[in-house]
Amino acid sequence: MSFPWAKHYEPTTEVGKWIDSRLPLPRLIYDSVGAGYPVPKNLNYFYNFGVLAGVALVVQIITGIILAMHYTPNVGLAFNSVEHIMRDVNSGWMLRYMHAVGASFFFIVVYLHIFRGLYYGSYKPPREVLWLLGMVIYLLMMATGFMGYVLVWGQMSFWGATVITNLFSAIPVVGEAIHTWLLGGFSPDNATLNRFFSLHYLLPFVIFGVVILHVWALHIPGSNNPTGVDIKGPQDTVPFHPYYTAKDFFGLGVYFTLFAIVVFYLPNALGEPDNYIAANPLSTPAHIVPEWYYWPFYAILRAFTVNFLWVPAKLWGVLAMFSAILLLFFLPWLDKSPVRSNNYRPLSKLFFWVFVVDCLILGLCGGKPAAEPWLRISQFAAAYYFAHFLIILPIISRIERPLPLPKSISEAVLTNAGHSVEAARAAVAAVPQPAA
Amino acid sequence: MATDQAHVPAAGELTESGERRRDFIYIATGAFAAVGAATVAWPLINQMNPSADVLALASIDVDLAAVQPGQAIKISWRGLPVFARNLTQAEQDAANKVPVASLRDPQTLAERTKEGHTNWLITLGVCTHLGCVPLGAGEGETKGDFGGYFCPCHGSQYDTAARIRSGPAPKNLEVPQYAFKSPTSVTIG
């Protein structure tokens, strides 16, 4: 957002002036991440995860393009070509683990990013489009992650592909036709692997395109902040560079340290051992589970075990799983409270944490075998998941009495720092206001 | 354009409802563009449907001579597993004792086998829920609570006639097209 107090780009060199009058790319960068983009000064570390997600995407694209130089998308060769990467290609073991662990880290970062948005009300006006684009990115990520996992052509790859493509066969009338079309046959085979490779290469660039729109949509209203209070003047903001570039680079250092520890010391901790067995179309592993980042939705899918209301259990599960994600698209219109941040919403804050626990329980159930007590628990947890969005949030936003909001971001910052409210107001008043 | 807008249509140029004859040209152009786009889009979609080599589904002959009562074999057909089970008398009796009306997908054992070969239960080894291979055909695998098959993916259980008895699967294990060539040899497909 171009606040009136945002610094303006002034090319200093002759080359800079020449470029600026023809294609003002440096100006775009200056206004996007430079001093030309003022940002609330009270952002905490939860606001690092957007940048981290962007970096995770770039890591996946770079390692992915490299892996595709050595990988063969053919059922006879795929599994062995991955082992060829692991054993023969220079540093191939590291690049393969970076890509595999990188997918897990991408999802960790994005989940924290999403829950940050949920807590601080970052989906509320005027940031609905920002939220919707983020949800589109999330859906694309899940599709990309799924197809990438299939490429290894291990047991989990094959049976994951079988189960996920079969979800579409639950659709009445056209389901079987869609299922056959996705597979290019009657079961996952070479045609399936081959097209998944092509699409796994394509989708990250689609994600990249939507990320550009996502960042653009962020820059129109500007960042939300932990108070949820709008920016009132220059005393509430600092320029993105160097203040947040420095903070983001610090977060990135921590992130890469953790990433390196997992890649080098625990590369298989987040994976399934069964995917080190080559795909066998005649035998399903006794305990098949998807990757951990799909577990909550997988738990919802299989929570439906009986037919009711003339709809078979299979279709109920599929509908529930997809609507669990689609529901998030409607969040800005389900939570009508004008107060953004849960810091000032005691009731909403309580139910936010109940919801977090519910999601963790769903994730736990999704990773366990489809047996009791996990099925029963996931049925209750799935019911609560939907109740949270469809019943609890709309009611809370009507009946809740929020705490008094700070008058401005500056007041909140200075009060938190141990000053009295009066001292904070005096300090804010001392800062010259911009001419109206 | 300016002259066009200034042009006042003569009475004969307008239809009764007040449209110009020229408006039809816009509709016709748009319609042709839509048909053209659909014509190009269809091959882009249809290329992902099964190709000729996948559609050229050969039928296969299977020799069942070595399969003893109580045993089952897995056969690969169309990339899918097929179970051929030689039912024991006890398994046939257990299947016939179940009240058919109580089943989710009501079928008798006789409807699922061939006349004169009721001991041979030949089904796809594909769970009708989401396509996993149920356990129970291999030596020592669990057969579930109903003595037939148990799918490990989401816990569907099938009885000795491979009919769905509990869990999320909607249908019995599918019986493919097959015919006996001799008492111990079948052609599947």
Side-chain angles (χ1 to χ4, degrees), chain B residues 6-99:
Chain B
H7 170 74
V8 179
E13 288 180 47
L14 294 175
T15 62
E16 280 173 24
S17 52
E19 289 130 359
R20 294 180 308 160
R21 292 160 59 92
R22 179 161 290 204
D23 290 340
F24 179 72
I25 295 179
Y26 299 146
I27 296 167
T29 311
F32 270 86
V35 169
T39 314
V40 175
W42 174 243
L44 300 185
I45 295 167
N46 192 36
Q47 51 82 22
M48 278 172 69
N49 274 319
S51 55
D53 60 318
V54 174
L55 285 175
L57 298 167
S59 55
I60 53 166
D61 289 334
V62 183
D63 180 18
L64 300 173
V67 188
Q68 299 300 311
Q71 288 187 331
I73 56 168
K74 288 183 193 176
I75 308 142
S76 182
W77 173 69
R78 283 192 189 184
L80 298 169
V82 173
F83 294 159
R85 176 178 288 283
N86 191 349
L87 296 173
T88 62
Q89 193 56 48
E91 286 171 332
Q92 294 177 52
D93 292 345
N96 287 327
K97 227 170 20 195
V98 179

Side-chain angles (χ1 to χ4, degrees), chain A residues 25-228:
Chain A
L25 260 185
R27 178 181 293 270
L28 177 70
I29 293 165
Y30 186 91
D31 289 342
S32 303
V33 294
Y37 181 51
V39 183
K41 63 183 178 184
N42 61 335
L43 301 189
N44 57 31
Y45 278 108
F46 283 106
Y47 285 77
N48 276 33
F49 290 96
V51 165
L52 295 182
V55 170
L57 175 63
V58 171
V59 168
Q60 290 306 90
I61 289 179
I62 293 173
T63 54
I65 289 172
I66 292 170
L67 290 172
M69 293 179 185
H70 307 279
Y71 168 80
T72 317
N74 176 290
V75 288
L77 302 166
F79 189 81
N80 288 344
S81 76
V82 174
E83 286 307 308
H84 157 72
I85 290 169
M86 295 289 284
R87 293 155 191 252
D88 303 335
V89 175
N90 299 324
S91 306
W93 60 272
M94 184 180 80
L95 292 160
R96 190 267 177 119
Y97 280 146
M98 279 172 75
H99 198 70
V101 173
S104 278
F105 268 63
F106 198 175
F107 275 96
I108 292 172
V109 161
V110 163
Y111 281 133
L112 288 167
H113 191 60
I114 292 174
F115 278 103
R116 190 286 318 273
L118 289 176
Y119 185 88
Y120 291 123
S122 303
Y123 50 85
K124 293 190 178 191
R127 297 184 181 83
E128 301 99 314
V129 172
L130 175 62
W131 174 259
L132 296 179
L133 288 166
M135 281 297 125
V136 171
I137 293 171
Y138 179 50
L139 279 178
L140 287 168
M141 274 178 69
M142 298 219 280
T144 311
F146 160 63
M147 290 194 266
Y149 194 55
V150 171
L151 299 185
V152 183
W153 213 241
Q155 273 288 66
M156 287 296 171
S157 302
F158 182 89
W159 293 103
T162 302
V163 168
I164 301 299
T165 53
N166 250 307
L167 295 180
F168 294 90
S169 72
I171 302 168
V173 189
V174 292
E176 274 307 327
I178 294 173
H179 181 221
T180 308
W181 176 76
L182 282 173
L183 292 175
F186 305 100
S187 61
D189 209 334
N190 200 48
T192 317
L193 177 64
N194 223 163
R195 67 190 53 185
F196 277 17
F197 176 67
S198 177
L199 295 173
H200 184 67
Y201 211 118
L202 166 72
L203 286 185
F205 296 98
V206 178
I207 293 177
F208 202 90
V210 185
V211 166
I212 289 173
L213 297 180
H214 188 65
V215 174
W216 189 3
L218 167 70
H219 282 233
I220 302 302
S223 290
N224 187 27
N225 68 86
T227 66

Side-chain angles (χ1 to χ4, degrees), chain A residues 5 22 24 50 138 142 152 163 168 204 216 238 250 285 324 338 350 386 389 392 414:
Chain A
W5 57 91
R22 286 162 179 80
Y138 179 50
M142 298 219 280
V152 183
V163 168
F168 294 90
W216 189 3
V238 289
F250 173 74
L350 172 71
F386 287 99
F389 288 107
I392 296 172
L414 293 170

